Structures are given as C-alpha cells and as structure tokens.
Amino acid sequence: MTATDKASELPHLTNYLKDLYHCSDCGYCVDAIWEERDIDHICATLESHSPGLSYSGQGYIKTARAWVEGEDLPLASVSEHAFTCTSCGNCERICPIGMRPMEINRALRSELIARDLAPESAVAIQKNVLEQQNPAGAPRAERYHWAQNIETAERAELVYLPGCASAYARPQEAQAAMRLLQAAGVPVKILGDSDSCCGAPLRELGFSDDAARQSEQLGAALAKQSFNLLVTSGCECAHALANEDRQTSFAGWLASALTEGKLQLAARSSTPKVSCIESCQATLGAVPNDNQTLYDILGRLGVTVNGGAPTSRFAMCCGAGGGAPAMHPQSSTEMARARMREATAKGQPDAIVSIDPRCVAHLDAARSDGDPPVYGLAEFVDTHFHLSAEGN
Ligand code: SF4
Ligand code: SF4
C-alpha cells in the first residue's frame, strides 16, 4: 500500500501529506538554544512531561508519517504521546521552514478520536463542552453567576465575552474587566443564556468537527446582537474568534482606552513591581501580540516589570493548555511551577501578572507558600489603580 492509498484511510492527516515529507529533522522544535534570541528550549511538554523525541513536534511528524506509510504502530501508545502536547504552538513558530507540527499532532489526535482511542479525560472534556458549554463541566446555568451584582445594559454597542475560564475559574477577572469597561463610561451588554464555549478547548484536543460547530453556535448568537465592539478576556477565545473583525481582546481595549484618555488611572498606593508570565496562546495571534500589549500597558501605568519585557517571541506554556491539567495534572502543575520559578528568579515581585484567565487560574492553583499573588490584567489594574481625578 502506498502512502497515498493509506492516506485515504487517514482523512485528517491527508491535508498535511506534503509537510510529512518536508520536515528537515533540524531539531529546532526539540532542543533549540539560541542565546542572542533569548531562546532556551521551547516545548513545555519536553521540559516537564518527558524529554523523549516522540513527545516533540518533530516526533509527531515522524509518527504521522509512519502511520501514513502503513507502519503497524501501537496506537494506544501513539495516543498517550499525542495527547500530551499543550498546544502552545512554539514548535510552529520556531520551525525555519514553516512546518506545522502542532496542527499535524491535532490531526493525529483526530485520527485517534475516530478510532475511539482518545484518553478518557479528553472525552470527558468533549462531553463537558457539548453538555454544559465549558470544558470543566460546571453547570451552564452558572456561566454568568459572576455578573449577578453587576448592572449590564440591554442595548449597548459593546459586548463583553468572558470566555469559559473567566466565567468559571477566574470570575474575578471578568468582574474587574466589567468594572473597568464601565469606568470608561461604556455601556456593556453580555450574551447571558445564549453564550457558549467558542470551541477552542475541543479544537486543541482534535475534536475538530465539534469545535467548528461550537464556533458556529457562538457566531450565530453574536449575529443576533447589534454591536460594534466585542471584547474578549480569553486568549484562546480571541484566537477562535479571529475572523470577527469587531473583536478586540480586553488588553487591546484597555491599551486604546488609556491612549484615548477614556480611562485615567492612578496607583492606589506605591506602584507595585511585577513579573509577567506570558500567554503562549497570545503568540498564536496577531503581531504585536497581547503579551507585548501587557508590557505597554504596565509601562504606561508606571509599573516596573522585573527583567523588563523579554526579547524572545516564545512564551513557554504554563501547563493550562491542551487539556493538560485534566490529562496530565502532575506535568501540568510542574509546568506552572517552572513558570513561577522563572518569574521570581530575578527578584521577588509584588505580583505576577498574566493576560490569559486560563493561565491565571492554573498558575494560582500551583502557587506555593511565599509565592507572590497572581493576577489577570484586569484584576491587577482594578486592585492597584483607581480612576484619577481627571478620569472621574
Ligand atoms: S505545540 Fe508546544 S507543547 Fe506541543 S509539541 Fe509544539 S512546542 Fe511542544
Ligand atoms: S518540524 Fe521544523 S523545526 Fe521541527 S525538526 Fe522539522 S523542520 Fe525542524
């Protein structure tokens, strides 16, 4: 059987046939160290789960190629490997010839899902999203519990979309975002019962059809609304809604509000010193990405960032992505601990700030005694700043 014959049995991998034969085995996605570019390895799975080549972007391409060529692979083992990637995308960014190892691994996952070989914890996430519209399986009816005491508008030009992580795991971020939006004098509405998961957690896991349906469902709910600006808190939601040209991230909105003078903020007491933990999901989107926007905002507010903004384009995953906390809790926690160690290595900050609520919730859960508090961007600004006299 030729590779092309076999490929017809592997429809999800078919789109990547050319890529499978173009990887040059350079190994950048496995063990890149490049001092001038501030790169010291890029794959959190290799760093904190297993250093084996078969857990790397290069390894996923090799596995996919072997399968397409008809090699008799132990598929249970392939599944164990394929479902460890956290979907950070660093292997794709660093690849010098534009290979897509993360996407190929998602296609691998889709093939395994089609053969009922996905891990139970991945199937549980799928069930949670389909039944409760969030990956953790919290009751759908509680999606807007965080907004119970917040006044929202019936008619408004701005829709705030918290995303699953802010809605359930980090409601403080959604509440703080709403306070800042409203402090800028902007009437804000929410989707309420018609809100749903954007499908990003399913797309990461390889449930591509379900992810597409989730995206369509949310798109249909938005289409029934009249608005001219959609503000999202979740980096993965922002990425999933990239085709919605009225969308901006909360970080993007805040940067504009500060630039345009809609919000004028002053520190409540002494300006805190912080470390930032970047979101790998933010680096999947536009350039400049929201990690850079975070540094811009902090600089504008006079906040000192330990070590300044890094020059690397590669944000190491904190372990919150790709369903890792459910599938590999120990490795996922170790990834978070590694990011916390890096964040405090250049001196103890007053706080750690990150822009993605999914990361913030995960990092906070992995904190040890003595670690500084972890905040989302909105929480941090809301906690440490107030409207200045000009802004009142
Ligand atoms: S997407 Fe990230 S975690 Fe997955 S293989 Fe690539 S670098 Fe590793
Ligand atoms: S996927 Fe790209 S970076 Fe990784 S080994 Fe192949 S060519 Fe090199």
Side-chain angles (χ1 to χ4, degrees):
M1 185 179 276
T2 67
T4 311
D5 293 337
K6 183 71 181 171
S8 63
E9 296 173 16
L10 297 165
H12 299 284
L13 287 173
T14 301
N15 290 340
Y16 300 98
L17 268 189
K18 278 188 184 164
D19 296 56
L20 301 186
Y21 290 87
H22 281 143
C23 168
S24 65
D25 285 345
C26 70
Y28 281 18
C29 61
V30 181
D31 52 13
I33 298 177
W34 199 330
E35 207 173 323
E36 295 86 347
R37 296 173 68 199
D38 197 17
I39 297 169
D40 181 6
H41 294 88
I42 50 96
C43 179
T45 297
L46 291 172
E47 178 194 52
S48 296
H49 183 74
S50 167
L53 180 68
S54 48
Y55 291 95
S56 70
Q58 183 183 4
Y60 295 140
I61 290 179
K62 285 188 177 303
T63 300
R65 179 170 161 175
W67 196 357
V68 164
E69 289 181 345
E71 200 171 314
D72 188 16
L73 298 170
L75 292 184
S77 174
V78 171
S79 176
E80 191 277 314
H81 288 73
F83 283 90
T84 56
C85 163
T86 69
S87 282
C88 73
N90 281 347
C91 48
E92 304 202 344
R93 265 185 300 286
I94 203 162
C95 179
I97 54 171
M99 296 290 100
R100 293 169 291 170
M102 178 182 73
E103 292 296 341
I104 289 170
N105 186 49
R106 286 180 179 172
L108 258 181
R109 289 175 169 186
S110 299
E111 298 294 356
L112 293 159
I113 287 166
R115 290 158 180 79
D116 290 330
L117 286 167
E120 280 178 21
S121 45
V123 176
I125 291 172
Q126 177 202 28
K127 184 169 180 281
N128 289 340
V129 170
L130 298 183
E131 292 181 359
Q132 298 297 340
Q133 294 302 316
N134 68 89
R140 183 175 189 181
E142 295 177 8
R143 191 173 185 89
Y144 278 89
H145 267 195
W146 60 269
Q148 274 174 341
N149 298 318
I150 297 176
E151 213 167 295
T152 54
E154 283 286 312
R155 295 174 192 279
E157 293 302 314
L158 189 151
V159 174
Y160 173 62
L161 197 70
C164 297
S166 282
Y168 293 104
R170 200 66 186 181
Q172 309 94 304
E173 179 67 8
Q175 289 164 338
M178 283 292 280
R179 277 194 288 275
L180 289 166
L181 287 163
Q182 293 177 336
V186 187
V188 183
K189 63 183 171 186
I190 52 179
L191 289 186
D193 291 345
S194 63
D195 195 359
S196 56
C197 175
C198 66
L202 298 183
R203 185 164 184 276
E204 289 179 343
L205 288 170
F207 295 101
S208 49
D209 293 343
D210 288 332
R213 278 191 287 274
Q214 286 296 135
S215 179
E216 280 167 24
Q217 180 178 309
L218 182 54
L222 288 167
K224 289 183 184 153
Q225 301 286 330
S226 166
F227 65 94
N228 59 24
L229 193 61
L230 175 66
V231 176
T232 50
S233 276
C235 288
E236 55 283 0
C237 314
H239 190 54
L241 292 165
N243 290 335
E244 169 55 71
D245 56 14
R246 293 168 292 179
Q247 187 219 165
T248 185
S249 63
F250 176 78
W253 173 83
L254 181 58
S256 298
L258 292 172
T259 302
E260 294 163 12
K262 290 178 184 163
L263 264 184
Q264 294 182 32
L265 301 169
R268 290 187 192 277
S269 55
S270 60
T271 314
K273 184 174 68 178
V274 307
S275 288
C276 296
I277 295 181
E278 296 190 347
S279 159
C280 56
Q281 295 302 298
T283 63
L284 298 175
V287 177
N289 68 53
D290 274 345
N291 293 317
Q292 292 158 290
T293 307
L294 170 64
Y295 293 118
D296 290 346
I297 291 169
L298 294 175
R300 199 174 306 195
L301 293 174
V303 175
T304 303
V305 178
N306 272 355
T311 51
S312 173
R313 292 171 53 226
F314 301 92
M316 287 287 274
C317 181
C318 68
M327 291 190 288
H328 303 286
Q330 201 176 333
S331 304
S332 165
T333 298
E334 175 44 34
M335 291 176 201
R337 296 293 319 142
R339 302 293 81 77
M340 297 285 279
R341 284 193 294 274
E342 290 161 4
T344 53
K346 291 176 181 162
Q348 185 78 351
D350 301 313
I352 289 175
V353 186
S354 188
I355 52 166
D356 192 338
R358 183 167 70 162
C359 307
V360 173
H362 182 64
L363 289 162
D364 204 17
R367 277 175 66 220
S368 295
D369 289 347
D371 281 338
V374 181
Y375 293 99
L377 172 60
E379 285 176 82
F380 174 75
V381 172
D382 189 49
T383 302
H384 291 279
F385 293 83
H386 61 82
L387 288 183
S388 68
E390 298 94 319
N392 279 318

